[in-house]
């Protein structure tokens, strides 16, 4: 396994790099940094303020959610352990992407499982349970209705509305039929075919299909899969729903982070009310207008008293948005740490004051493992072409520019010439200002013309050099495109099935064996 520090890959935001470097500017936006030694205090804090009664409700709800499924001994043991005050969770969350979506779905869950193992080694008196939180209440169907196998897109075409977890699986037979046509012969391909068929054609809704799939892939590791679209679990969230409706408090609390985050991109912006109204086929924002609470794009509206009564009697009709969903998760789970991608952690860093207001422990935030999976053949090709991994992480234009320069037998430093030219014109401008200021426009124009001329010469020079080495560059580019499709990371494009047909479950076993969740490096693993 080869590793590259995240900051050297060029694919991580300044916010994430500063967070990983423990920048003082960000220190007030999180509770504790996720180092193994910091988990002790996190355990004690969560243990002190997580109600024991919530544990029994959680365990009962999970038992009910798993009724239709074959539960592994490891998962059942973890559900039972959640009733104990010395058991804690580590959570990752993900959308209900068709057939798991991009590869990083696996990396999130592997990071979560492996962190639980590391914590058990360090703190043997406690138990740690890996949790996958299914985003069943999301309604962004277009983000989840496809996956890529061998760079071919397989898409579920369907007119839908409302929470995706409740969607029926009608129409997925057509996707399955198309997938089967493209699967090769072999045992691993047969496994994939059965996996898709048993998940999506034998379960009636997307939440159940996703649970079956994740359970099949990771049940032996004791993974617990949580569906927050649950009446009993929503009941635990009632006081926090009321706080939001009564005081519109999240909006004010999130804004407190903006001054600290002013040098970064704000990931999400809060609403005045950060709740949706949810029913089958419906998930729409709740807004306050003309003295009524209204459900957008519907005729539904409530007085304040009627709405608060509905919260008490039917809390399942209220769905937290991106601002309040993390709070809901931490209310119902004895959780220590949330594991997510850079974009997810960016919005979590806006939320600490929301947790403070609601008196809920803010979890530790851990960046998930990122991985580039390569075959032995690809690695041999890389070595033969004398390419470093660092070079392959360059964007395509920079990559071609660098390799063209490397090939050039008579390299010419155009950048040095441009800097020399700029220095000459700077001196000329100083003389011009002391003699005749009216010439300054002509001097500037001449500088721009000559710089442009040099840039055109540079382009022609590199084009000629590139043509001389076109065959070698094409072979390099073929490898780069195979590993970084569309100038993006493999983990954001390819589905696990692409590699599973060749490596089967061994692929997941390798990830579980090699990935260290606390390691701040991009991993390159040759299968």
């Amino acid at each position: 396994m080869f590793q590259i520090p995240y900051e050297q890959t060029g694919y991580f935001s300044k916010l994430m790099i500063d967070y990983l470097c423990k920048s003082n500017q960000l220190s007030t936006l999180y509770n504790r940094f996720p180092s193994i030694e910091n988990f002790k205090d996190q355990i004690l804090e969560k243990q002190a303020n997580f109600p024991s009664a919530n544990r029994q409700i959680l365990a009962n709800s999970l038992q009910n959610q798993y009724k239709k499924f074959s539960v592994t001994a490891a998962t059942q043991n973890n559900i039972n352990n959640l009733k104990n005050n010395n058991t804690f969770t580590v959570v990752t969350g993900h959308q209900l992407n068709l057939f798991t979506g991009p590869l990083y779905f696996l990396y999130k869950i592997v990071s979560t499982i492996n962190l639980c193992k590391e914590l058990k080694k360090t703190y043997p008196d406690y138990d740690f349970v890996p949790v996958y939180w299914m985003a069943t209440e999301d309604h962004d169907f277009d983000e989840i209705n496809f996956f890529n196998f061998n760079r071919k897109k397989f898409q579920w075409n369907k007119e839908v509305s409302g929470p995706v977890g409740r969607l029926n699986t009608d129409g997925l037979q057509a996707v399955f039929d198309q997938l089967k046509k493209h699967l090769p012969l072999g045992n691993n391909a047969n496994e994939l075919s059965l996996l898709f068929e048993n998940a999506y054609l034998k379960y009636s809704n997307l939440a159940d299909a996703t649970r079956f799939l994740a359970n099949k892939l990771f049940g032996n590791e004791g993974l617990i899969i949580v569906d927050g679209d649950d009446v009993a679990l929503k009941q635990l969230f009632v006081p926090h729903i009321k706080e939001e409706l009564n005081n519109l408090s999240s909006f004010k609390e999130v804004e407190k982070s903006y001054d600290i985050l002013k040098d970064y991109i704000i990931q999400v912006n809060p609403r005045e009310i950060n709740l949706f109204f949810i029913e089958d086929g419906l998930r729409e924002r709740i807004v306050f207008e003309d003295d009524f609470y209204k459900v957008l794009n519907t005729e539904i509206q409530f007085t304040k008293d009627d709405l608060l009564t509905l919260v008490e009697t039917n809390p399942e009709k209220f769905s937290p948005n991106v601002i309040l969903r993390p709070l809901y998760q931490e209310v119902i789970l004895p959780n220590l740490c949330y594991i997510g991608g850079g974009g997810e952690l960016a919005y979590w860093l806006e939320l600490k004051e929301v947790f403070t207001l609601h008196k809920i422990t803010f979890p530790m935030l851990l960046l998930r493992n990122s991985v580039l999976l390569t075959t032995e053949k690809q690695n041999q090709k890389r070595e033969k072409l004398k390419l470093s991994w660092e070079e392959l992480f360059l964007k395509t234009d920079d990559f071609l520019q660098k390799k063209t320069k490397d090939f050039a037998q008579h390299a010419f430093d155009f950048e040095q010439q441009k800097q020399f030219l700029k220095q000459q014109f700077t001196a000329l401008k100083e003389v011009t200002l002391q003699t005749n200021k009216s010439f300054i426009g002509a001097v500037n124009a001449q500088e721009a013309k000559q710089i442009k001329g040099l840039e055109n010469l540079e382009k022609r020079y590199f084009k000629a050099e590139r043509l001389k080495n076109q065959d070698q560059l094409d072979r390099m580019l073929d490898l780069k495109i195979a590993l970084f499709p569309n100038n993006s990371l493999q983990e954001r494009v390819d589905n696990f099935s692409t590699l599973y047909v060749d490596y089967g479950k061994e692929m997941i076993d390798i990830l579980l064996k090699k990935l260290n969740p606390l390691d701040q490096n991009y991993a390159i693993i040759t299968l």
Side-chain angles (χ1 to χ4, degrees):
M1 184 170 75
F2 189 84
Q3 294 180 305
I4 298 176
Y6 286 132
E7 62 266 30
Q8 292 180 23
T9 67
Y11 283 94
F12 289 81
S13 68
K14 182 179 185 297
L15 176 60
M16 276 304 97
I17 298 306
D18 286 354
Y19 174 67
L20 294 175
C21 293
K22 304 178 190 176
S23 166
N24 289 335
Q25 181 178 346
L26 302 175
S27 62
T28 60
L29 298 182
Y30 57 90
N31 195 10
R32 296 179 181 88
F33 192 80
S35 60
I36 197 71
E37 59 273 11
N38 283 347
F39 274 93
K40 180 62 176 178
D41 287 338
Q42 189 76 13
I43 289 169
L44 295 175
E45 182 180 346
K46 190 67 178 182
Q47 192 174 44
N49 70 8
F50 190 77
S52 295
N54 287 20
R55 290 179 173 275
Q56 188 64 54
I57 293 168
L58 173 63
N60 290 343
S61 288
L62 288 170
Q63 208 68 61
N64 190 54
Q65 289 183 18
Y66 272 92
K67 271 183 180 177
K68 294 183 284 185
F69 301 86
S70 175
V71 185
T72 65
T75 293
Q76 186 59 60
N77 186 57
N78 279 340
I79 291 174
N80 294 337
N81 283 343
L82 283 171
K83 301 172 189 176
N84 303 326
N85 288 332
N86 68 335
T87 300
F88 299 90
T89 63
V90 174
V91 178
T92 193
H94 197 66
Q95 294 171 297
L96 305 191
N97 294 73
L98 188 59
F99 215 33
T100 76
L103 267 166
Y104 67 83
F105 171 84
L106 298 189
Y107 307 154
K108 281 183 167 185
I109 293 180
V110 169
S111 299
T112 304
I113 291 167
N114 283 352
L115 180 56
C116 287
K117 292 176 181 177
E118 289 297 313
L119 289 170
K120 185 63 177 175
K121 290 178 191 174
T122 308
Y123 305 104
D125 293 337
Y126 300 94
D127 290 318
F128 305 94
V129 175
V131 170
Y132 161 41
W133 180 285
M134 295 192 295
T136 54
E137 296 183 30
D138 281 6
H139 56 265
D140 296 319
F141 182 68
D142 290 342
E143 292 183 7
I144 68 165
N145 68 342
F146 67 93
F147 68 97
N148 295 308
F149 172 70
N150 280 342
R151 307 285 160 86
K152 178 177 173 57
K153 187 175 183 179
F154 294 83
Q155 186 164 332
W156 181 18
N157 296 308
K158 185 181 178 77
E159 289 293 324
V160 305
S161 60
V164 295
R166 301 186 191 182
L167 293 179
N168 67 57
T169 50
D170 294 347
L172 283 171
Q173 179 72 53
V175 179
F176 178 58
D177 292 342
Q178 283 299 309
L179 176 62
K180 279 203 300 183
K181 291 178 184 177
H182 290 83
L183 285 173
L185 298 175
N187 291 335
N188 293 334
N190 290 339
E191 281 184 32
L192 281 173
S193 180
L194 277 174
L195 200 56
F196 191 102
E197 183 178 11
N198 289 334
Y200 294 104
L201 304 187
K202 295 187 178 178
Y203 286 93
S204 60
N205 64 60
L206 192 56
D208 286 348
T210 305
R211 183 186 296 275
F212 173 86
L213 187 57
N215 187 52
K216 199 72 175 173
L217 292 174
F218 294 105
N220 288 334
E221 297 294 329
L223 181 70
I224 286 179
I225 302 154
V226 176
D227 182 354
D229 191 4
D230 182 288
V231 177
L233 296 180
K234 285 281 177 73
Q235 194 66 52
L236 298 176
F237 199 52
V238 165
H240 309 280
I241 297 174
K242 286 184 172 181
E243 166 65 33
E244 181 72 3
L245 293 172
N246 279 321
N247 301 314
L248 313 180
S249 50
S250 298
F251 184 87
K252 306 163 197 170
E253 299 306 319
V254 170
E255 281 193 328
K256 293 177 181 177
S257 69
Y258 285 0
D259 189 53
I260 298 170
L261 291 169
K262 63 181 182 296
D263 296 330
Y264 306 97
I265 296 172
I266 299 296
Q267 192 70 19
V268 294
N269 292 293
R271 305 282 189 180
E272 287 191 342
I273 298 174
N274 292 281
L275 293 163
F276 290 93
F277 187 82
I278 185 172
E279 291 180 337
D280 290 347
L282 175 68
R283 188 178 188 242
E284 290 284 355
R285 283 174 50 211
I286 300 171
V287 296
F288 185 68
E289 293 177 351
D290 305 322
D291 295 325
F292 284 93
Y293 289 86
K294 300 180 180 180
V295 178
L296 281 183
N297 302 313
T298 74
E299 299 298 318
I300 302 170
Q301 65 178 30
F302 303 92
T303 65
K304 184 174 184 179
D305 288 344
D306 288 343
L307 190 65
L308 292 175
T309 298
L310 188 65
V311 173
E312 286 283 356
T313 59
N314 295 91
E316 71 279 5
K317 290 186 178 292
F318 297 84
S319 174
N321 74 354
V322 67
I323 296 295
L324 284 181
R325 189 210 59 77
L327 181 72
Y328 175 41
Q329 170 191 298
E330 299 301 311
V331 165
I332 67 176
L333 295 175
N335 191 44
L336 303 176
C337 178
Y338 183 78
I339 297 180
E344 290 175 280
L345 298 198
Y347 73 70
W348 274 87
L349 288 171
E350 299 177 34
L351 304 179
K352 187 165 182 287
E353 292 301 323
V354 176
F355 279 74
T356 300
L357 174 79
H358 287 265
K359 299 179 181 177
I360 301 296
T361 297
F362 194 65
M364 298 163 89
L365 303 176
L366 179 62
L367 187 65
R368 65 168 172 82
N369 287 121
S370 281
V371 187
L372 174 62
L373 293 175
T374 71
T375 66
E376 188 61 47
K377 186 176 179 181
Q378 287 172 328
N379 197 35
Q380 288 172 357
K381 183 177 181 180
R382 178 189 67 83
E383 291 175 347
K384 187 176 180 180
L385 292 169
K386 297 180 180 177
L387 288 171
S388 69
W389 286 117
E390 288 84 356
E391 287 174 324
L392 284 166
F393 270 84
L394 294 171
K395 295 299 185 339
T396 300
D397 288 345
D398 295 333
F399 173 78
L400 288 173
Q401 189 86 335
K402 181 183 187 305
K403 297 317 296 180
T404 301
K405 284 182 179 179
D406 290 347
F407 284 134
Q409 294 178 347
H410 307 287
F412 186 83
D413 192 342
F414 281 92
E415 189 58 38
Q416 185 182 51
Q417 289 302 309
K418 281 187 267 188
Q419 291 304 319
F420 177 75
L421 194 60
K422 288 176 182 178
Q423 289 171 8
Q424 296 300 305
F425 272 98
T426 297
L428 182 57
K429 288 174 196 176
E430 291 175 0
V431 172
T432 300
L433 289 171
Q434 294 171 13
T435 54
N436 191 334
K437 294 180 182 180
S438 65
F439 287 138
I440 197 70
V443 174
N444 285 334
Q446 190 61 222
E447 178 184 16
K449 181 179 178 181
Q450 293 199 30
I451 292 292
K452 185 69 175 176
L454 265 180
E455 288 174 347
N456 288 334
L457 283 174
E458 184 178 23
K459 288 177 184 176
R460 293 179 64 182
Y461 168 77
F462 279 110
K463 184 177 180 181
E465 286 290 348
R466 193 170 293 176
L467 286 171
K468 281 168 54 180
N469 300 282
Q470 195 65 53
D471 289 345
Q472 186 82 334
L473 285 169
D474 283 347
R475 287 195 291 273
M476 291 179 170
L477 198 56
D478 285 345
L479 178 61
K480 177 166 175 55
I481 291 170
L483 296 174
F484 294 85
N486 305 324
N487 234 355
S488 183
L489 293 173
Q490 175 200 59
E491 64 183 35
R492 295 192 167 276
V493 176
D494 289 346
N495 180 263
F496 83 101
S497 56
T498 299
L499 290 161
Y500 198 94
V501 291
D502 291 320
Y503 300 97
K505 190 177 180 300
E506 180 189 0
M507 165 192 165
I508 295 175
D509 293 339
I510 289 171
L511 293 172
L512 287 163
K513 181 179 178 182
K514 292 197 172 185
L515 292 182
N516 177 355
L518 298 173
D519 195 348
Q520 295 178 17
N521 292 288
Y522 207 107
I524 297 101
I525 297 176
T526 301
L527 296 171

